[in-house]
Amino acid sequence: MTTTTDVKPILMLVEDDEGLAKQLRWALADRYDVHCAIDRAGAVALARRVEPAVVVLDLGLPPDPNGASEGLAVLTDLLAFKPWLKIIVSSGNAERIHALEAVRLGAYDIYPKPVDIDTLRLIVERASHLHALEDENRRLAASKDRRPMLDVLAESPKMLDVCRMIERVAPSDVNVLLTGESGTGKEVLARALHGASTRVDGPFVPINVAAIPETLLESELFGHEKGSFTGAHKMTEGKIQQADGGTLFLDEIGDMPHALQVKLLRFLQERVIERIGGRSQIAVDVRVVAATNRNLSEAIAEGVFREDLYYRLDEVGIHIPPLRERPGDATLLARHFLSRYAQEMKRPARGFTSDALRAIAAYEWPGNVRELENRVKRALVLADGSHITGTDLQLEDGSFPTLRMAREEAEYEAVSKALCVADNNVSAAAKLLGVSRPTLYDLMRSLKLRD
């Protein structure tokens, strides 16, 4: 019996060369449910019927087999009714200008002629994987049964570990401290934690400690009684009391004035507050989630942050990695922001060009997710075409590392460390690496670790 996990992704080949079509179908049929078309009308009809995830398209189709007009027309027709379809076009050196036009119109990638099956397999596999991720995100976004972690988009191992940690911690009432660089998404994760907790029906009350002047911060947090200071014309509840029964999110907690840290510590210990000018104690049932981009250990050593408050806040600490350490997440998030803002701003953009995707993947993102969101939003306003380019993002086309480059880098690091540990004894280093001495000598020569 066939289960849902046995269903192959649907791949459509648009190729008028019968021999080449058979060769490609034979090479790809083990991983994909392959369907073939030979011209524009057949391709459009077949795509509507089988709804492929990926299309491999030869631009030279009849009645223009030596040009690209029919292939480009197929590309435009397919993307018109299914914008997220991954279309891979073939390109020879003489057809480069047509391939670039195809990318401008929305093609996902290019595969070179003559066809190298291994290269094509890799391109198709990557396109299929990306299509599956995007399809799942669209399906979940359309679902009425929204899950608390739905707004956290991630596929990198480090970020998935963070999500699992939040899901484990959420049902308890322990205080949580989120750390990480500015722009990594600490408030999004704090809201996800609240949404997954037993306090989901209570309020989520955020306050940015660094954004409020010190003279007003105490009143904002704890509230004040009428007449307690000039301008206090009525009793006002503070953020802590407003969060009763829910979650209080203290952003940039590392910038809290030292004097207020004592009062916050007392609240965390006793769970009662006194408004400014008040005399009665008010019990508040609230879970505290704090966040900071500062190194609190250094702040404690410098005497600007209380160690006892740190341990009260950090009952469970979760570090959010920067975007540059989350491979794959930048592209996933960029597509999400593009879809969201294109709809909000009613812009025609349907996707990114391949140079934009390479630039997004290669860029270091010092401003993290916030910078990525801003660049995508700005690019949507400035873009002339239907697809966002690297120029629109104000990013240069990045040089993406190949698998060979990544493997050589990993081998260089492993061999270097083994030789260091073994004090340059090749036999001992080979044992540490689990290889023979001749193999290690070959590796050292290829990696230029020995003449």
Side-chain angles (χ1 to χ4, degrees):
M1 186 175 83
T2 301
T3 66
T4 54
T5 56
D6 297 325
V7 176
K8 297 177 180 179
I10 298 174
L11 171 67
M12 188 171 85
L13 303 176
V14 187
E15 174 60 66
D16 64 326
D17 184 328
E18 185 178 351
L20 180 56
K22 285 183 177 179
Q23 179 188 2
L24 295 178
R25 184 169 194 163
W26 176 84
L28 298 167
D30 61 326
R31 296 285 301 275
Y32 305 94
D33 182 8
V34 183
H35 298 259
C36 298
I38 62 172
D39 56 22
R40 178 181 178 183
V44 172
L46 181 61
R48 289 184 181 277
R49 180 167 58 86
V50 303
E51 296 188 352
V54 181
V55 175
V56 175
L57 171 65
D58 181 12
L59 293 178
L61 298 174
D64 185 20
N66 297 319
S69 59
E70 281 297 293
L72 294 175
V74 171
L75 174 69
T76 303
D77 290 346
L78 294 180
L79 290 176
F81 79 89
K82 194 174 181 184
W84 301 109
L85 186 61
K86 304 304 174 204
I87 301 179
I88 303 164
V89 300
S90 64
S91 170
N93 290 332
E95 302 163 342
R96 181 172 175 79
I97 188 169
H98 299 316
L100 292 176
E101 176 64 12
V103 170
R104 189 189 70 79
L105 291 172
Y108 167 75
D109 209 340
I110 303 168
Y111 76 91
K113 288 182 178 179
V115 176
D116 179 88
I117 295 299
D118 289 336
T119 300
L120 181 58
R121 273 178 174 272
L122 182 61
I123 296 172
V124 171
E125 183 178 352
R126 185 174 59 188
S128 177
H129 176 64
L130 182 59
H131 182 274
L133 285 173
E134 292 177 349
D135 194 53
E136 177 70 3
N137 285 330
R138 287 192 294 273
R139 186 185 68 78
L140 290 174
S143 171
K144 292 181 181 178
D145 181 23
R146 290 182 62 83
R147 301 203 304 269
M149 296 302 293
L150 184 60
D151 291 329
V152 183
L153 299 178
E155 64 172 331
S156 62
K158 285 186 178 181
M159 204 56 198
L160 291 176
D161 285 344
V162 169
C163 293
R164 283 189 285 268
M165 183 73 164
I166 286 177
E167 288 177 334
R168 287 198 298 270
V169 169
S172 68
D173 255 354
V174 297
N175 297 329
V176 176
L177 179 63
L178 302 173
T179 59
E181 294 180 8
S182 180
T184 48
K186 293 186 282 293
E187 183 170 346
V188 171
L189 288 166
R191 288 182 182 275
L193 192 154
H194 172 73
S197 73
T198 57
R199 297 175 176 269
V200 63
D201 294 326
F204 177 87
V205 179
I207 180 170
N208 188 318
V209 172
I212 300 173
E214 183 175 348
T215 53
L216 299 178
L217 184 57
E218 183 177 5
S219 175
E220 282 290 313
L221 280 171
F222 296 94
H224 60 262
E225 298 289 351
K226 180 179 178 180
S228 57
F229 53 83
T230 302
H233 301 302
K234 63 178 182 177
M235 186 278 290
T236 301
E237 289 185 351
K239 296 292 187 183
I240 294 176
Q241 191 174 359
Q242 291 173 19
D244 190 28
T247 302
L248 175 69
F249 176 55
L250 299 171
D251 198 9
E252 304 299 350
I253 190 66
D255 294 318
M256 175 170 275
H258 202 272
L260 270 184
Q261 292 177 30
V262 178
K263 195 166 183 178
L264 178 62
L265 176 63
R266 180 171 177 267
F267 162 68
L268 292 174
Q269 290 171 334
E270 302 177 14
R271 297 294 167 166
V272 296
I273 62 168
E274 288 183 12
R275 299 192 191 107
I276 297 176
R279 293 291 181 268
S280 59
Q281 293 187 338
I282 303 167
V284 182
D285 173 27
V286 64
R287 185 206 200 138
V288 176
V289 178
T292 183
N293 59 12
R294 295 189 64 181
N295 186 322
L296 291 187
S297 296
E298 292 181 358
I300 291 168
E302 294 167 4
V304 296
F305 199 84
R306 293 182 63 97
E307 187 173 17
D308 46 5
L309 176 58
Y310 169 74
Y311 288 119
R312 282 287 179 181
L313 294 170
D314 189 30
E315 291 179 339
V316 173
I318 300 176
H319 179 71
I320 305 168
L323 191 54
R324 62 183 173 275
E325 295 179 8
R326 294 153 54 175
D329 283 4
T331 302
L332 191 65
L333 287 162
R335 292 179 185 277
H336 164 73
F337 291 137
L338 178 62
S339 175
R340 170 183 165 187
Y341 289 118
Q343 186 175 7
E344 287 183 9
M345 300 161 64
K346 295 180 171 54
R347 300 288 293 179
R350 291 198 296 257
F352 295 96
T353 60
S354 58
D355 77 293
L357 292 174
R358 286 194 298 271
I360 289 169
Y363 186 56
E364 289 290 315
W365 297 109
N368 293 295
V369 180
R370 186 181 294 121
E371 180 186 0
L372 173 60
E373 182 177 9
N374 289 343
R375 281 186 184 264
V376 171
K377 194 172 183 179
R378 180 177 58 201
L380 263 171
V381 175
L382 300 176
D384 292 327
S386 62
H387 283 70
I388 302 297
T389 67
T391 302
D392 294 328
L393 292 166
Q394 297 183 0
L395 296 175
E396 294 182 0
D397 187 1
S399 56
F400 199 79
T402 64
L403 289 176
R404 181 177 180 180
M405 290 165 60
R407 184 175 64 248
E408 287 179 352
E409 184 177 344
E411 287 176 345
Y412 184 91
E413 184 176 354
V415 172
S416 298
K417 285 184 177 179
L419 288 169
C420 181
V421 170
D423 196 23
N424 287 321
N425 184 305
V426 177
S427 297
K431 287 182 181 179
L432 288 172
L433 293 167
V435 298
S436 66
R437 261 200 338 170
T439 299
L440 180 54
Y441 275 119
D442 289 340
L443 271 173
M444 291 166 63
R445 278 193 291 269
S446 66
L447 296 171
K448 296 182 172 56
L449 287 170
R450 173 166 292 188
D451 296 333

